[in-house]
Amino acid sequence: MTKVTPRPTTDFLRPDRDRHLSESNPFEEMMSRLKRAAELLKLEPGLFKILSHCEKQITVSIPVLMDNGEVEVFTGYRVLHNTSRGPAKGGIRFDMQVNIDEVKALAAWMTWKCAVVNIPFGGAKGGVICDPAKLSMGELERLTRRYTAGIINTLGPDSDVPAPDVNTNERVMAWVMDTYSMHMRHTVTAVVTGKPVEMGGSLGRREATGRGCMIVTRQALAHLGMQMQGATVAVQGFGNVGSVTAQLLHREGCKIVAIGDRVGSFHDPKGIDVDAAIAHVQKHKSLEGFTQGKAISSEELLAMDVDVLVPAALENVITGANAGSIRAKIICEGANGPTTAEADGILDEKGVFVIPDILANAGGVTVSYFEWVQDRGGYFWTEEVVNQRLEQIMVNSFRDVLELAKQHKVNMRTAAYMLSISRVANVHRLRGVYA
Ligand code: NAD
């Protein structure tokens, strides 16, 4: 009989390493954090291999009849990273920057995020390469419905539950829910979260991610012995997450000195009128034409001398190239993946306290979980109950991550990865490998 020499399993092998080397590749960014936490946890190499791979990747072509009578074909993705702890959960993004590595990274971040706040979901993400600003309402609806039909086999309250993300909202979720329900021949509210409240959405869901950011920022300020009252804040990205974070931090006494979106950034040392800025965006769809404060560049906003910087736009905005110029004391990552692994090291050296994305913006998925629970139970909670339960989960999760960070003398990001990876890995150990 031929003797089989076992392959060495002491090191974490990265067969994909030669394909993902760029600092700006979000999947590579996710992998480098996973690898570091796995080493500290002394994770079994087999489990590392499982967690390094996405369970399922779906690519669909989406033909859409445009208003001018022409047919356009868009590309969409849905990626399920890990479903060991429960149904896959993750948003749908409509953006020209969408690509498969970004969707894979975002799906994996969802796995870690759900585990950090200990809710019974796995991680998924979806995206369509399109510019929704150039689509009419009818085109957007047809695109959403055809994309939903394309990925319908994975969707379901027990298997894969989408939510809004960049450039998608309650309106889009309502179409996803309706399309799925039409195929199932009955109304299935729990197939998506972030829906309008009238059709099974949860009170407090729209504000949940920003509320979570506010709560963890408050915890971080307290931990560092800083006051919330008068703390200065700069917010990059003024959509759902950025605007609500700014609004709630302002209500808690912080001074929002700078805000910015994809068209412009504004600085006012006396404090931006956040409600006026929100009203402006509601009317004009962006901060274009906003008149308060001095117009500054996106880079100037990131480098502002503030107590708290909230990147709440897209990934890779704080990189090896600009991390040295960051002057904020705290970074609350409202966006997913705003900081690269190279920037992490620089921020650590500078003593910046980073509340990592998988903790900072987990308020959204937490209330999505509440929405899913309410839909399945057919019994709806008051906004106070939603906010109270969210507060409890965010405060406890911040405390758990901080404790682990102190215990292992690592930063908050590494601690958050260690906490979530150990939770996911433990379920894999209990379940075993299905043969
Ligand atoms: P959104 O579409 O509502 O807003 C995005 C904002 O970012 C807009 O103001 C846009 O103008 C701005 N932006 C885009 N490109 C920019 C650039 N280059 N420079 C400056 N600003 C830019 O999206 P959102 O739902 O607020 O999501 C923002 C981030 O938060 C994303 O990373 C998303 O994955 C993450 N996130 C969202 C939720 C949620 O519940 N919506 C939950 C967790 C994480």
Side-chain angles (χ1 to χ4, degrees), residues 112-135:
W112 312 136
K113 196 180 300 183
C114 294
V116 166
V117 287
N118 213 1
I119 58 176
F121 285 132
K125 204 78 182 190
V128 178
I129 306 169
C130 67
D131 181 357
K134 296 207 175 114
L135 299 175

Side-chain angles (χ1 to χ4, degrees), residues 93 165 167 205 209 238-241 261-262 312-313 334-336 361:
R93 177 176 291 200
D165 192 71
N167 295 330
R205 171 60 186 90
T209 309
F238 208 68
N240 174 295
V241 181
D261 69 2
R262 79 170 80 224
N336 287 308
N361 68 39

Side-chain angles (χ1 to χ4, degrees), residues 18-38:
D18 56 334
R19 283 186 292 120
H20 302 298
L21 281 175
S22 131
E23 192 199 351
S24 60
N25 181 309
F27 191 72
E28 185 61 25
E29 296 305 304
M30 188 288 297
M31 281 302 299
S32 70
R33 273 67 171 259
L34 168 63
K35 192 167 187 285
R36 163 129 174 79

Side-chain angles (χ1 to χ4, degrees), residues 267-435:
H267 173 222
D268 187 342
K270 294 198 291 298
I272 302 268
D273 181 343
V274 178
D275 290 336
I278 290 174
H280 183 94
V281 171
Q282 268 163 3
K283 195 164 168 201
H284 303 280
K285 294 203 158 77
S286 75
L287 285 169
E288 189 156 27
F290 188 62
T291 49
Q292 201 196 337
K294 179 175 151 246
I296 53 168
S297 69
S298 207
E299 279 302 315
E300 285 175 304
L301 183 148
L302 292 173
M304 205 135 257
D305 189 4
V306 283
D307 294 316
V308 184
L309 171 66
V310 185
L314 295 172
E315 52 279 359
N316 295 327
V317 292
I318 304 173
T319 65
N322 67 356
S325 63
I326 299 286
R327 287 184 290 166
K329 296 176 189 69
I330 295 170
I331 294 178
C332 173
E333 295 186 336
N336 287 308
T339 311
T340 65
E342 193 185 335
D344 274 350
I346 301 169
L347 296 174
D348 275 350
E349 273 171 31
K350 290 170 71 89
V352 182
F353 187 87
V354 179
I355 316 169
D357 47 7
I358 57 172
L359 169 64
N361 68 39
V365 76
T366 301
V367 176
S368 275
Y369 164 53
F370 296 164
E371 181 173 332
W372 178 80
V373 168
Q374 291 171 80
D375 286 340
R376 288 164 72 99
Y379 181 71
F380 290 86
W381 313 347
T382 63
E383 195 164 351
E384 288 76 45
V385 170
V386 170
N387 289 347
Q388 211 176 29
R389 290 180 177 170
L390 171 64
E391 165 101 21
Q392 200 177 15
I393 288 185
M394 294 307 293
V395 169
N396 289 346
S397 304
F398 182 91
R399 193 199 51 213
D400 291 348
V401 173
L402 186 62
E403 281 308 310
L404 208 62
K406 285 186 196 159
Q407 199 183 323
H408 291 270
K409 299 188 173 45
V410 294
N411 63 23
M412 290 287 281
R413 187 182 320 278
T414 303
Y417 271 80
M418 287 174 76
L419 180 65
S420 53
I421 290 164
S422 58
R423 283 180 175 154
V424 178
N426 207 25
V427 172
H428 275 280
R429 285 187 203 103
L430 290 166
R431 290 181 61 158
V433 179
Y434 177 72

